[in-house]
Amino acid sequence: EFFFGGQRFVLVDTAGIRKRPENLVEELAIRRSLRAMDEADVVLLVVDPFQVGDRELKLANEALDRGKPVLLVITKWDLVDKEDAPKMRRLLREKLAHLDHLPRVFTSALTRQNLDRIFREAVRLHELNQTRVPTAELNRWVAVWTSRVQMPNFKGKPLKILYATQPEVAPPTFVFFVNHPEFVTRAFENYLKNRIGEDLTRLRAVLAVTDLNHIDDVHDLDELRERLNSLRSAVSVLLVSLHNMHEKAEAMHNTLSAVEDAVDNPDDTL
């Protein structure tokens, strides 16, 4: 336990996780590691750049499946020559391709390189995990996302997203109300998760799809009120625009009528 930048940190060192524990001691260590993940606010996945394998992907997925922000900490960076650093970074991107969306810090315990950055990144990820995206902003993004992809359809009936909201944080949880939940494919669900992760949270989001009959399942009614207020504002702007257009059209009509009168009765005009 220590303080950094006015923040209290508790570091819990855990054992690595093999695919299959070889004895009871390893199995108990794995259980302790998974329990520590459950209790963590942020998970630091320490990666040895000279020994990268499937273990890193397994550990990261264990944490992500628990809704935890994950920071990749690449250690022993002092052992990488400056000339070889670009090549090593490229190799790491290839070996950790499935984790490419995760933030990472290159550090060294020996030289203390970037040690402070680890904790700054941990604070940033924790704050992101606690952030709620305003409903109006989320639905603006939904409009952008749906315009960039072919929406699933069944027998000519397209899937439509009617409304989206974020009722929970830690992990960020998003609910999408659609016209036909059964039209949502796994590919489209993954598309939404990726867009949320890249455009909004930078974290793995929990996503639920339902229809408007289950709107009571959304606990945060303030979010719904915010969305309705946004719709009311949009309607008000539209009404003002229509009123202005009507006034302009009426003025144009009067002008045209005056011109027609002048053409029909030139003597009166003179």
Side-chain angles (χ1 to χ4, degrees), residues 10-34:
V10 177
L11 285 180
V12 180
D13 190 16
T14 63
I17 297 178
R18 298 192 186 189
K19 289 185 177 179
R20 293 181 181 177
E22 296 183 353
N23 52 56
L24 180 60
V25 174
E26 286 190 356
E27 183 174 348
L28 292 175
I30 290 173
R31 291 180 184 178
R32 181 177 180 274
S33 297
L34 296 178

Side-chain angles (χ1 to χ4, degrees), residues 231-266:
L231 289 174
R232 289 192 187 97
S233 299
V235 170
S236 298
V237 172
L238 179 60
L239 289 175
V240 171
S241 299
L242 289 174
H243 178 71
N244 292 337
M245 290 175 63
H246 175 74
E247 288 185 341
K248 291 180 180 178
E250 187 175 2
M252 184 177 294
H253 174 74
N254 293 335
T255 301
L256 290 174
S257 296
V259 172
E260 288 178 353
D261 289 341
V263 171
D264 294 338
N265 304 288

Side-chain angles (χ1 to χ4, degrees), residues 15 32 71 131:
R32 181 177 180 274
L71 174 64
T131 299

